[in-house]
PDB file of all heavy atoms in Angstrom:
ATOM      1  N   GLY A   1       7.559  14.799  -6.974  1.00  0.00           N
ATOM      2  CA  GLY A   1       7.532  14.427  -8.255  1.00  0.00           C
ATOM      3  C   GLY A   1       8.855  13.737  -8.817  1.00  0.00           C
ATOM      4  O   GLY A   1       9.050  13.595 -10.000  1.00  0.00           O
ATOM      5  N   ASN A   2       9.738  13.453  -7.726  1.00  0.00           N
ATOM      6  CA  ASN A   2      11.036  12.793  -8.244  1.00  0.00           C
ATOM      7  C   ASN A   2      10.962  11.280  -8.235  1.00  0.00           C
ATOM      8  O   ASN A   2      11.904  10.605  -8.683  1.00  0.00           O
ATOM      9  CB  ASN A   2      12.110  13.214  -7.133  1.00  0.00           C
ATOM     10  CG  ASN A   2      12.404  14.621  -7.224  1.00  0.00           C
ATOM     11  OD1 ASN A   2      12.265  15.331  -8.293  1.00  0.00           O
ATOM     12  ND2 ASN A   2      12.864  15.268  -6.181  1.00  0.00           N
ATOM     13  N   ARG A   3       9.897  10.598  -7.734  1.00  0.00           N
ATOM     14  CA  ARG A   3       9.725   9.198  -7.723  1.00  0.00           C
ATOM     15  C   ARG A   3       8.491   8.679  -8.343  1.00  0.00           C
ATOM     16  O   ARG A   3       7.420   9.389  -8.189  1.00  0.00           O
ATOM     17  CB  ARG A   3       9.934   8.645  -6.308  1.00  0.00           C
ATOM     18  CG  ARG A   3      11.377   8.889  -5.736  1.00  0.00           C
ATOM     19  CD  ARG A   3      11.309   8.643  -4.206  1.00  0.00           C
ATOM     20  NE  ARG A   3      10.561   9.603  -3.480  1.00  0.00           N
ATOM     21  CZ  ARG A   3       9.976   9.423  -2.261  1.00  0.00           C
ATOM     22  NH1 ARG A   3      10.199   8.281  -1.665  1.00  0.00           N
ATOM     23  NH2 ARG A   3       9.361  10.378  -1.624  1.00  0.00           N
ATOM     24  N   LEU A   4       8.438   7.513  -8.804  1.00  0.00           N
ATOM     25  CA  LEU A   4       7.267   6.914  -9.158  1.00  0.00           C
ATOM     26  C   LEU A   4       7.075   5.593  -8.655  1.00  0.00           C
ATOM     27  O   LEU A   4       8.022   4.771  -8.543  1.00  0.00           O
ATOM     28  CB  LEU A   4       7.207   6.686 -10.760  1.00  0.00           C
ATOM     29  CG  LEU A   4       6.755   7.798 -11.743  1.00  0.00           C
ATOM     30  CD1 LEU A   4       6.877   7.418 -13.126  1.00  0.00           C
ATOM     31  CD2 LEU A   4       5.258   8.188 -11.370  1.00  0.00           C
ATOM     32  N   ALA A   5       5.874   5.276  -8.204  1.00  0.00           N
ATOM     33  CA  ALA A   5       5.565   3.907  -7.685  1.00  0.00           C
ATOM     34  C   ALA A   5       4.688   3.206  -8.768  1.00  0.00           C
ATOM     35  O   ALA A   5       3.657   3.841  -9.162  1.00  0.00           O
ATOM     36  CB  ALA A   5       4.856   3.989  -6.319  1.00  0.00           C
ATOM     37  N   ILE A   6       5.152   2.131  -9.237  1.00  0.00           N
ATOM     38  CA  ILE A   6       4.383   1.545 -10.306  1.00  0.00           C
ATOM     39  C   ILE A   6       3.903   0.164  -9.942  1.00  0.00           C
ATOM     40  O   ILE A   6       4.585  -0.682  -9.231  1.00  0.00           O
ATOM     41  CB  ILE A   6       5.226   1.373 -11.558  1.00  0.00           C
ATOM     42  CG1 ILE A   6       6.495   0.509 -11.380  1.00  0.00           C
ATOM     43  CG2 ILE A   6       5.602   2.856 -12.135  1.00  0.00           C
ATOM     44  CD1 ILE A   6       7.377   0.288 -12.523  1.00  0.00           C
ATOM     45  N   LEU A   7       2.668  -0.270 -10.380  1.00  0.00           N
ATOM     46  CA  LEU A   7       2.133  -1.617 -10.183  1.00  0.00           C
ATOM     47  C   LEU A   7       2.481  -2.411 -11.424  1.00  0.00           C
ATOM     48  O   LEU A   7       1.954  -2.089 -12.511  1.00  0.00           O
ATOM     49  CB  LEU A   7       0.682  -1.519  -9.885  1.00  0.00           C
ATOM     50  CG  LEU A   7      -0.055  -2.819  -9.702  1.00  0.00           C
ATOM     51  CD1 LEU A   7       0.470  -3.615  -8.590  1.00  0.00           C
ATOM     52  CD2 LEU A   7      -1.505  -2.637  -9.594  1.00  0.00           C
ATOM     53  N   ARG A   8       3.379  -3.327 -11.311  1.00  0.00           N
ATOM     54  CA  ARG A   8       3.854  -4.006 -12.486  1.00  0.00           C
ATOM     55  C   ARG A   8       3.736  -5.553 -12.309  1.00  0.00           C
ATOM     56  O   ARG A   8       3.605  -6.094 -11.253  1.00  0.00           O
ATOM     57  CB  ARG A   8       5.310  -3.659 -12.653  1.00  0.00           C
ATOM     58  CG  ARG A   8       6.265  -4.065 -11.572  1.00  0.00           C
ATOM     59  CD  ARG A   8       7.713  -4.255 -12.051  1.00  0.00           C
ATOM     60  NE  ARG A   8       7.901  -5.335 -12.899  1.00  0.00           N
ATOM     61  CZ  ARG A   8       9.018  -5.722 -13.401  1.00  0.00           C
ATOM     62  NH1 ARG A   8      10.116  -5.055 -13.122  1.00  0.00           N
ATOM     63  NH2 ARG A   8       9.176  -6.659 -14.245  1.00  0.00           N
ATOM     64  N   GLN A   9       3.850  -6.181 -13.463  1.00  0.00           N
ATOM     65  CA  GLN A   9       3.875  -7.613 -13.527  1.00  0.00           C
ATOM     66  C   GLN A   9       5.345  -8.175 -13.353  1.00  0.00           C
ATOM     67  O   GLN A   9       6.244  -7.533 -13.888  1.00  0.00           O
ATOM     68  CB  GLN A   9       3.225  -8.236 -14.751  1.00  0.00           C
ATOM     69  CG  GLN A   9       1.763  -7.817 -14.880  1.00  0.00           C
ATOM     70  CD  GLN A   9       1.058  -8.344 -16.102  1.00  0.00           C
ATOM     71  OE1 GLN A   9       1.795  -9.157 -16.881  1.00  0.00           O
ATOM     72  NE2 GLN A   9      -0.209  -8.014 -16.372  1.00  0.00           N
ATOM     73  N   ALA A  10       5.514  -9.263 -12.720  1.00  0.00           N
ATOM     74  CA  ALA A  10       6.852  -9.854 -12.586  1.00  0.00           C
ATOM     75  C   ALA A  10       6.668 -11.336 -12.466  1.00  0.00           C
ATOM     76  O   ALA A  10       5.679 -11.939 -12.411  1.00  0.00           O
ATOM     77  CB  ALA A  10       7.496  -9.199 -11.346  1.00  0.00           C
ATOM     78  N   TYR A  11       7.875 -12.000 -12.344  1.00  0.00           N
ATOM     79  CA  TYR A  11       7.878 -13.440 -12.087  1.00  0.00           C
ATOM     80  C   TYR A  11       8.674 -13.670 -10.816  1.00  0.00           C
ATOM     81  O   TYR A  11       9.719 -13.159 -10.586  1.00  0.00           O
ATOM     82  CB  TYR A  11       8.556 -14.073 -13.275  1.00  0.00           C
ATOM     83  CG  TYR A  11       7.665 -14.185 -14.513  1.00  0.00           C
ATOM     84  CD1 TYR A  11       7.723 -13.301 -15.444  1.00  0.00           C
ATOM     85  CD2 TYR A  11       6.756 -15.295 -14.614  1.00  0.00           C
ATOM     86  CE1 TYR A  11       6.856 -13.451 -16.609  1.00  0.00           C
ATOM     87  CE2 TYR A  11       5.837 -15.313 -15.743  1.00  0.00           C
ATOM     88  CZ  TYR A  11       5.997 -14.488 -16.755  1.00  0.00           C
ATOM     89  OH  TYR A  11       5.219 -14.542 -17.779  1.00  0.00           O
ATOM     90  N   ASP A  12       8.141 -14.603  -9.976  1.00  0.00           N
ATOM     91  CA  ASP A  12       8.683 -14.934  -8.755  1.00  0.00           C
ATOM     92  C   ASP A  12       8.484 -16.459  -8.590  1.00  0.00           C
ATOM     93  O   ASP A  12       7.432 -17.026  -8.572  1.00  0.00           O
ATOM     94  CB  ASP A  12       7.988 -14.201  -7.552  1.00  0.00           C
ATOM     95  CG  ASP A  12       8.657 -14.633  -6.202  1.00  0.00           C
ATOM     96  OD1 ASP A  12       9.791 -14.996  -6.244  1.00  0.00           O
ATOM     97  OD2 ASP A  12       7.938 -14.488  -5.244  1.00  0.00           O
ATOM     98  N   ALA A  13       9.593 -17.152  -8.575  1.00  0.00           N
ATOM     99  CA  ALA A  13       9.580 -18.621  -8.438  1.00  0.00           C
ATOM    100  C   ALA A  13       8.828 -19.236  -9.639  1.00  0.00           C
ATOM    101  O   ALA A  13       7.955 -20.094  -9.426  1.00  0.00           O
ATOM    102  CB  ALA A  13       9.060 -19.045  -7.181  1.00  0.00           C
ATOM    103  N   ASP A  14       9.097 -18.758 -10.803  1.00  0.00           N
ATOM    104  CA  ASP A  14       8.353 -19.244 -11.964  1.00  0.00           C
ATOM    105  C   ASP A  14       6.889 -19.084 -12.052  1.00  0.00           C
ATOM    106  O   ASP A  14       6.117 -19.837 -12.694  1.00  0.00           O
ATOM    107  CB  ASP A  14       8.750 -20.731 -12.142  1.00  0.00           C
ATOM    108  CG  ASP A  14      10.169 -20.969 -12.433  1.00  0.00           C
ATOM    109  OD1 ASP A  14      10.856 -20.088 -12.988  1.00  0.00           O
ATOM    110  OD2 ASP A  14      10.724 -22.024 -12.019  1.00  0.00           O
ATOM    111  N   ARG A  15       6.397 -18.004 -11.301  1.00  0.00           N
ATOM    112  CA  ARG A  15       4.980 -17.779 -11.443  1.00  0.00           C
ATOM    113  C   ARG A  15       4.784 -16.295 -11.579  1.00  0.00           C
ATOM    114  O   ARG A  15       5.551 -15.476 -11.253  1.00  0.00           O
ATOM    115  CB  ARG A  15       4.223 -18.311 -10.118  1.00  0.00           C
ATOM    116  CG  ARG A  15       4.690 -17.549  -8.934  1.00  0.00           C
ATOM    117  CD  ARG A  15       4.213 -18.152  -7.607  1.00  0.00           C
ATOM    118  NE  ARG A  15       4.595 -17.363  -6.458  1.00  0.00           N
ATOM    119  CZ  ARG A  15       3.748 -16.547  -5.636  1.00  0.00           C
ATOM    120  NH1 ARG A  15       2.503 -16.590  -6.084  1.00  0.00           N
ATOM    121  NH2 ARG A  15       4.218 -15.949  -4.668  1.00  0.00           N
ATOM    122  N   HIS A  16       3.630 -15.952 -12.161  1.00  0.00           N
ATOM    123  CA  HIS A  16       3.308 -14.539 -12.477  1.00  0.00           C
ATOM    124  C   HIS A  16       2.728 -13.933 -11.152  1.00  0.00           C
ATOM    125  O   HIS A  16       1.839 -14.496 -10.482  1.00  0.00           O
ATOM    126  CB  HIS A  16       2.219 -14.537 -13.562  1.00  0.00           C
ATOM    127  CG  HIS A  16       1.670 -13.201 -13.884  1.00  0.00           C
ATOM    128  ND1 HIS A  16       2.308 -12.296 -14.685  1.00  0.00           N
ATOM    129  CD2 HIS A  16       0.625 -12.545 -13.433  1.00  0.00           C
ATOM    130  CE1 HIS A  16       1.688 -11.180 -14.762  1.00  0.00           C
ATOM    131  NE2 HIS A  16       0.632 -11.302 -13.958  1.00  0.00           N
ATOM    132  N   VAL A  17       3.266 -12.784 -10.773  1.00  0.00           N
ATOM    133  CA  VAL A  17       2.829 -12.027  -9.675  1.00  0.00           C
ATOM    134  C   VAL A  17       2.793 -10.541 -10.061  1.00  0.00           C
ATOM    135  O   VAL A  17       3.280 -10.071 -11.039  1.00  0.00           O
ATOM    136  CB  VAL A  17       3.845 -12.185  -8.501  1.00  0.00           C
ATOM    137  CG1 VAL A  17       3.820 -13.677  -8.024  1.00  0.00           C
ATOM    138  CG2 VAL A  17       5.124 -11.618  -8.835  1.00  0.00           C
ATOM    139  N   GLU A  18       2.153  -9.807  -9.111  1.00  0.00           N
ATOM    140  CA  GLU A  18       2.096  -8.374  -9.211  1.00  0.00           C
ATOM    141  C   GLU A  18       2.912  -7.726  -8.049  1.00  0.00           C
ATOM    142  O   GLU A  18       2.684  -8.264  -6.930  1.00  0.00           O
ATOM    143  CB  GLU A  18       0.648  -7.835  -9.193  1.00  0.00           C
ATOM    144  CG  GLU A  18      -0.133  -8.138 -10.453  1.00  0.00           C
ATOM    145  CD  GLU A  18      -1.424  -7.341 -10.470  1.00  0.00           C
ATOM    146  OE1 GLU A  18      -1.962  -6.936  -9.537  1.00  0.00           O
ATOM    147  OE2 GLU A  18      -2.016  -7.256 -11.668  1.00  0.00           O
ATOM    148  N   LEU A  19       3.680  -6.766  -8.381  1.00  0.00           N
ATOM    149  CA  LEU A  19       4.575  -6.067  -7.456  1.00  0.00           C
ATOM    150  C   LEU A  19       4.479  -4.613  -7.527  1.00  0.00           C
ATOM    151  O   LEU A  19       4.055  -4.145  -8.626  1.00  0.00           O
ATOM    152  CB  LEU A  19       6.077  -6.521  -7.649  1.00  0.00           C
ATOM    153  CG  LEU A  19       6.414  -8.042  -7.447  1.00  0.00           C
ATOM    154  CD1 LEU A  19       7.871  -8.189  -7.852  1.00  0.00           C
ATOM    155  CD2 LEU A  19       6.170  -8.488  -5.980  1.00  0.00           C
ATOM    156  N   ILE A  20       4.788  -3.882  -6.446  1.00  0.00           N
ATOM    157  CA  ILE A  20       5.009  -2.448  -6.514  1.00  0.00           C
ATOM    158  C   ILE A  20       6.392  -2.161  -6.529  1.00  0.00           C
ATOM    159  O   ILE A  20       7.176  -2.588  -5.567  1.00  0.00           O
ATOM    160  CB  ILE A  20       4.187  -1.788  -5.458  1.00  0.00           C
ATOM    161  CG1 ILE A  20       2.762  -2.036  -5.535  1.00  0.00           C
ATOM    162  CG2 ILE A  20       4.456  -0.199  -5.451  1.00  0.00           C
ATOM    163  CD1 ILE A  20       1.842  -1.489  -4.399  1.00  0.00           C
ATOM    164  N   HIS A  21       6.893  -1.327  -7.532  1.00  0.00           N
ATOM    165  CA  HIS A  21       8.275  -1.034  -7.600  1.00  0.00           C
ATOM    166  C   HIS A  21       8.326   0.529  -7.340  1.00  0.00           C
ATOM    167  O   HIS A  21       7.430   1.279  -7.812  1.00  0.00           O
ATOM    168  CB  HIS A  21       8.941  -1.288  -8.890  1.00  0.00           C
ATOM    169  CG  HIS A  21       9.282  -2.711  -9.041  1.00  0.00           C
ATOM    170  ND1 HIS A  21       9.912  -3.157 -10.214  1.00  0.00           N
ATOM    171  CD2 HIS A  21       9.296  -3.652  -8.168  1.00  0.00           C
ATOM    172  CE1 HIS A  21      10.193  -4.443 -10.063  1.00  0.00           C
ATOM    173  NE2 HIS A  21       9.863  -4.809  -8.925  1.00  0.00           N
ATOM    174  N   LEU A  22       9.258   0.931  -6.568  1.00  0.00           N
ATOM    175  CA  LEU A  22       9.504   2.401  -6.409  1.00  0.00           C
ATOM    176  C   LEU A  22      10.783   2.837  -7.061  1.00  0.00           C
ATOM    177  O   LEU A  22      11.867   2.239  -6.836  1.00  0.00           O
ATOM    178  CB  LEU A  22       9.674   2.744  -4.869  1.00  0.00           C
ATOM    179  CG  LEU A  22       9.728   4.225  -4.470  1.00  0.00           C
ATOM    180  CD1 LEU A  22       8.394   4.949  -4.891  1.00  0.00           C
ATOM    181  CD2 LEU A  22       9.909   4.194  -2.873  1.00  0.00           C
ATOM    182  N   ILE A  23      10.688   3.669  -8.064  1.00  0.00           N
ATOM    183  CA  ILE A  23      11.799   4.103  -8.898  1.00  0.00           C
ATOM    184  C   ILE A  23      12.151   5.526  -8.859  1.00  0.00           C
ATOM    185  O   ILE A  23      11.213   6.369  -8.636  1.00  0.00           O
ATOM    186  CB  ILE A  23      11.601   3.677 -10.422  1.00  0.00           C
ATOM    187  CG1 ILE A  23      10.374   4.359 -10.983  1.00  0.00           C
ATOM    188  CG2 ILE A  23      11.616   2.180 -10.574  1.00  0.00           C
ATOM    189  CD1 ILE A  23      10.220   4.018 -12.450  1.00  0.00           C
ATOM    190  N   ASP A  24      13.445   5.890  -9.018  1.00  0.00           N
ATOM    191  CA  ASP A  24      13.918   7.252  -9.036  1.00  0.00           C
ATOM    192  C   ASP A  24      13.887   7.780 -10.447  1.00  0.00           C
ATOM    193  O   ASP A  24      14.586   7.091 -11.340  1.00  0.00           O
ATOM    194  CB  ASP A  24      15.247   7.235  -8.427  1.00  0.00           C
ATOM    195  CG  ASP A  24      15.873   8.774  -8.334  1.00  0.00           C
ATOM    196  OD1 ASP A  24      15.316   9.636  -8.917  1.00  0.00           O
ATOM    197  OD2 ASP A  24      16.923   8.920  -7.632  1.00  0.00           O
ATOM    198  N   ILE A  25      13.184   8.890 -10.660  1.00  0.00           N
ATOM    199  CA  ILE A  25      13.169   9.396 -12.177  1.00  0.00           C
ATOM    200  C   ILE A  25      13.805  10.786 -12.169  1.00  0.00           C
ATOM    201  O   ILE A  25      13.519  11.455 -13.181  1.00  0.00           O
ATOM    202  CB  ILE A  25      11.707   9.393 -12.670  1.00  0.00           C
ATOM    203  CG1 ILE A  25      10.842  10.357 -11.776  1.00  0.00           C
ATOM    204  CG2 ILE A  25      11.130   8.069 -12.687  1.00  0.00           C
ATOM    205  CD1 ILE A  25       9.501  10.608 -12.386  1.00  0.00           C
ATOM    206  N   THR A  26      14.677  11.103 -11.242  1.00  0.00           N
ATOM    207  CA  THR A  26      15.292  12.439 -11.233  1.00  0.00           C
ATOM    208  C   THR A  26      16.319  12.474 -12.448  1.00  0.00           C
ATOM    209  O   THR A  26      16.569  13.711 -12.891  1.00  0.00           O
ATOM    210  CB  THR A  26      15.994  12.765  -9.949  1.00  0.00           C
ATOM    211  OG1 THR A  26      16.880  11.688  -9.639  1.00  0.00           O
ATOM    212  CG2 THR A  26      14.932  12.841  -8.822  1.00  0.00           C
ATOM    213  N   ARG A  27      16.840  11.466 -12.776  1.00  0.00           N
ATOM    214  CA  ARG A  27      17.703  11.498 -13.951  1.00  0.00           C
ATOM    215  C   ARG A  27      17.408  10.457 -14.989  1.00  0.00           C
ATOM    216  O   ARG A  27      16.805   9.286 -14.500  1.00  0.00           O
ATOM    217  CB  ARG A  27      19.179  11.320 -13.539  1.00  0.00           C
ATOM    218  CG  ARG A  27      19.590  10.059 -12.790  1.00  0.00           C
ATOM    219  CD  ARG A  27      21.047   9.993 -12.216  1.00  0.00           C
ATOM    220  NE  ARG A  27      21.314   8.858 -11.706  1.00  0.00           N
ATOM    221  CZ  ARG A  27      21.151   8.480 -10.358  1.00  0.00           C
ATOM    222  NH1 ARG A  27      20.555   9.365  -9.599  1.00  0.00           N
ATOM    223  NH2 ARG A  27      21.563   7.379  -9.920  1.00  0.00           N
ATOM    224  N   CYS A  28      17.578  10.571 -16.247  1.00  0.00           N
ATOM    225  CA  CYS A  28      17.262   9.626 -17.293  1.00  0.00           C
ATOM    226  C   CYS A  28      18.376   8.553 -17.429  1.00  0.00           C
ATOM    227  O   CYS A  28      19.265   8.858 -18.279  1.00  0.00           O
ATOM    228  CB  CYS A  28      17.094  10.457 -18.607  1.00  0.00           C
ATOM    229  SG  CYS A  28      16.392   9.310 -19.910  1.00  0.00           S
ATOM    230  N   SER A  29      18.266   7.567 -16.613  1.00  0.00           N
ATOM    231  CA  SER A  29      19.284   6.531 -16.681  1.00  0.00           C
ATOM    232  C   SER A  29      18.556   5.206 -17.115  1.00  0.00           C
ATOM    233  O   SER A  29      17.501   5.086 -17.032  1.00  0.00           O
ATOM    234  CB  SER A  29      19.913   6.308 -15.269  1.00  0.00           C
ATOM    235  OG  SER A  29      19.023   6.045 -14.259  1.00  0.00           O
ATOM    236  N   ASP A  30      19.547   4.219 -17.508  1.00  0.00           N
ATOM    237  CA  ASP A  30      19.016   2.903 -17.995  1.00  0.00           C
ATOM    238  C   ASP A  30      19.797   1.914 -17.119  1.00  0.00           C
ATOM    239  O   ASP A  30      20.888   1.638 -17.328  1.00  0.00           O
ATOM    240  CB  ASP A  30      19.226   2.789 -19.500  1.00  0.00           C
ATOM    241  CG  ASP A  30      18.718   1.465 -19.944  1.00  0.00           C
ATOM    242  OD1 ASP A  30      17.898   0.879 -19.270  1.00  0.00           O
ATOM    243  OD2 ASP A  30      19.084   1.082 -21.156  1.00  0.00           O
ATOM    244  N   PRO A  31      18.960   1.258 -16.179  1.00  0.00           N
ATOM    245  CA  PRO A  31      17.652   1.472 -15.866  1.00  0.00           C
ATOM    246  C   PRO A  31      17.531   2.471 -14.826  1.00  0.00           C
ATOM    247  O   PRO A  31      18.477   2.800 -14.196  1.00  0.00           O
ATOM    248  CB  PRO A  31      17.131   0.147 -15.382  1.00  0.00           C
ATOM    249  CG  PRO A  31      18.383  -0.438 -14.631  1.00  0.00           C
ATOM    250  CD  PRO A  31      19.543  -0.040 -15.520  1.00  0.00           C
ATOM    251  N   PRO A  32      16.374   3.145 -14.632  1.00  0.00           N
ATOM    252  CA  PRO A  32      16.169   4.091 -13.468  1.00  0.00           C
ATOM    253  C   PRO A  32      16.377   3.337 -12.254  1.00  0.00           C
ATOM    254  O   PRO A  32      15.979   2.210 -12.068  1.00  0.00           O
ATOM    255  CB  PRO A  32      14.641   4.547 -13.696  1.00  0.00           C
ATOM    256  CG  PRO A  32      14.370   4.230 -15.076  1.00  0.00           C
ATOM    257  CD  PRO A  32      15.105   3.050 -15.496  1.00  0.00           C
ATOM    258  N   PRO A  33      17.008   3.980 -11.285  1.00  0.00           N
ATOM    259  CA  PRO A  33      17.381   3.363  -9.915  1.00  0.00           C
ATOM    260  C   PRO A  33      16.077   2.855  -9.243  1.00  0.00           C
ATOM    261  O   PRO A  33      15.058   3.582  -9.151  1.00  0.00           O
ATOM    262  CB  PRO A  33      17.925   4.447  -9.091  1.00  0.00           C
ATOM    263  CG  PRO A  33      18.592   5.400 -10.150  1.00  0.00           C
ATOM    264  CD  PRO A  33      17.614   5.349 -11.334  1.00  0.00           C
ATOM    265  N   ARG A  34      16.114   1.612  -8.874  1.00  0.00           N
ATOM    266  CA  ARG A  34      15.067   0.974  -8.189  1.00  0.00           C
ATOM    267  C   ARG A  34      15.169   1.120  -6.634  1.00  0.00           C
ATOM    268  O   ARG A  34      16.220   0.686  -6.128  1.00  0.00           O
ATOM    269  CB  ARG A  34      14.900  -0.462  -8.578  1.00  0.00           C
ATOM    270  CG  ARG A  34      13.635  -1.098  -7.911  1.00  0.00           C
ATOM    271  CD  ARG A  34      13.558  -2.594  -8.232  1.00  0.00           C
ATOM    272  NE  ARG A  34      13.582  -2.798  -9.695  1.00  0.00           N
ATOM    273  CZ  ARG A  34      13.651  -4.044 -10.314  1.00  0.00           C
ATOM    274  NH1 ARG A  34      13.636  -5.102  -9.559  1.00  0.00           N
ATOM    275  NH2 ARG A  34      13.622  -4.187 -11.558  1.00  0.00           N
ATOM    276  N   LEU A  35      14.322   1.838  -6.018  1.00  0.00           N
ATOM    277  CA  LEU A  35      14.487   2.181  -4.614  1.00  0.00           C
ATOM    278  C   LEU A  35      13.826   1.137  -3.671  1.00  0.00           C
ATOM    279  O   LEU A  35      14.246   0.969  -2.420  1.00  0.00           O
ATOM    280  CB  LEU A  35      13.849   3.521  -4.271  1.00  0.00           C
ATOM    281  CG  LEU A  35      14.363   4.711  -5.205  1.00  0.00           C
ATOM    282  CD1 LEU A  35      13.681   5.979  -4.894  1.00  0.00           C
ATOM    283  CD2 LEU A  35      15.888   4.892  -5.035  1.00  0.00           C
ATOM    284  N   ASP A  36      12.785   0.430  -4.135  1.00  0.00           N
ATOM    285  CA  ASP A  36      12.115  -0.549  -3.261  1.00  0.00           C
ATOM    286  C   ASP A  36      11.293  -1.364  -4.051  1.00  0.00           C
ATOM    287  O   ASP A  36      10.961  -1.125  -5.225  1.00  0.00           O
ATOM    288  CB  ASP A  36      11.312   0.187  -2.136  1.00  0.00           C
ATOM    289  CG  ASP A  36      11.008  -0.663  -0.968  1.00  0.00           C
ATOM    290  OD1 ASP A  36      11.366  -1.915  -0.945  1.00  0.00           O
ATOM    291  OD2 ASP A  36      10.624  -0.108   0.164  1.00  0.00           O
ATOM    292  N   GLU A  37      10.914  -2.579  -3.481  1.00  0.00           N
ATOM    293  CA  GLU A  37      10.055  -3.547  -4.111  1.00  0.00           C
ATOM    294  C   GLU A  37       9.326  -4.311  -3.154  1.00  0.00           C
ATOM    295  O   GLU A  37       9.854  -4.762  -2.161  1.00  0.00           O
ATOM    296  CB  GLU A  37      10.835  -4.483  -5.018  1.00  0.00           C
ATOM    297  CG  GLU A  37      10.033  -5.578  -5.687  1.00  0.00           C
ATOM    298  CD  GLU A  37      10.999  -6.572  -6.439  1.00  0.00           C
ATOM    299  OE1 GLU A  37      11.556  -7.472  -5.745  1.00  0.00           O
ATOM    300  OE2 GLU A  37      11.141  -6.410  -7.609  1.00  0.00           O
ATOM    301  N   PHE A  38       7.926  -4.378  -3.249  1.00  0.00           N
ATOM    302  CA  PHE A  38       7.134  -5.029  -2.336  1.00  0.00           C
ATOM    303  C   PHE A  38       5.810  -5.492  -2.876  1.00  0.00           C
ATOM    304  O   PHE A  38       5.393  -4.969  -3.977  1.00  0.00           O
ATOM    305  CB  PHE A  38       6.892  -4.061  -1.109  1.00  0.00           C
ATOM    306  CG  PHE A  38       6.244  -2.796  -1.337  1.00  0.00           C
ATOM    307  CD1 PHE A  38       4.847  -2.615  -1.318  1.00  0.00           C
ATOM    308  CD2 PHE A  38       7.007  -1.725  -1.746  1.00  0.00           C
ATOM    309  CE1 PHE A  38       4.270  -1.440  -1.651  1.00  0.00           C
ATOM    310  CE2 PHE A  38       6.384  -0.440  -2.062  1.00  0.00           C
ATOM    311  CZ  PHE A  38       5.032  -0.231  -2.100  1.00  0.00           C
ATOM    312  N   PRO A  39       5.107  -6.570  -2.387  1.00  0.00           N
ATOM    313  CA  PRO A  39       5.482  -7.131  -1.039  1.00  0.00           C
ATOM    314  C   PRO A  39       6.822  -8.024  -1.083  1.00  0.00           C
ATOM    315  O   PRO A  39       7.601  -8.006  -0.065  1.00  0.00           O
ATOM    316  CB  PRO A  39       4.310  -8.021  -0.670  1.00  0.00           C
ATOM    317  CG  PRO A  39       3.650  -8.276  -2.028  1.00  0.00           C
ATOM    318  CD  PRO A  39       3.862  -7.070  -2.835  1.00  0.00           C
TER     319      PRO A  39
END
């Protein structure tokens, strides 16, 4: 329960894409630490 993987929209080389971000939610920080991003 300490991390969330989210399917989000983003921009890559001026085009709309979908990515999965892995974020740490153990502390309420701005922004929450991003642990990984793929593909």
Side-chain angles (χ1 to χ4, degrees):
N2 292 334
R3 293 168 292 162
L4 271 180
I6 60 174
L7 178 58
R8 61 158 294 183
Q9 296 179 6
Y11 285 94
D12 181 25
D14 297 325
R15 67 192 180 110
H16 174 84
V17 300
E18 289 188 342
L19 299 171
I20 297 176
H21 281 181
L22 187 60
I23 58 177
D24 182 348
I25 60 171
T26 55
R27 59 185 185 274
C28 185
S29 60
D30 185 14
R34 186 182 302 176
L35 306 175
D36 205 347
E37 175 185 82
F38 56 93

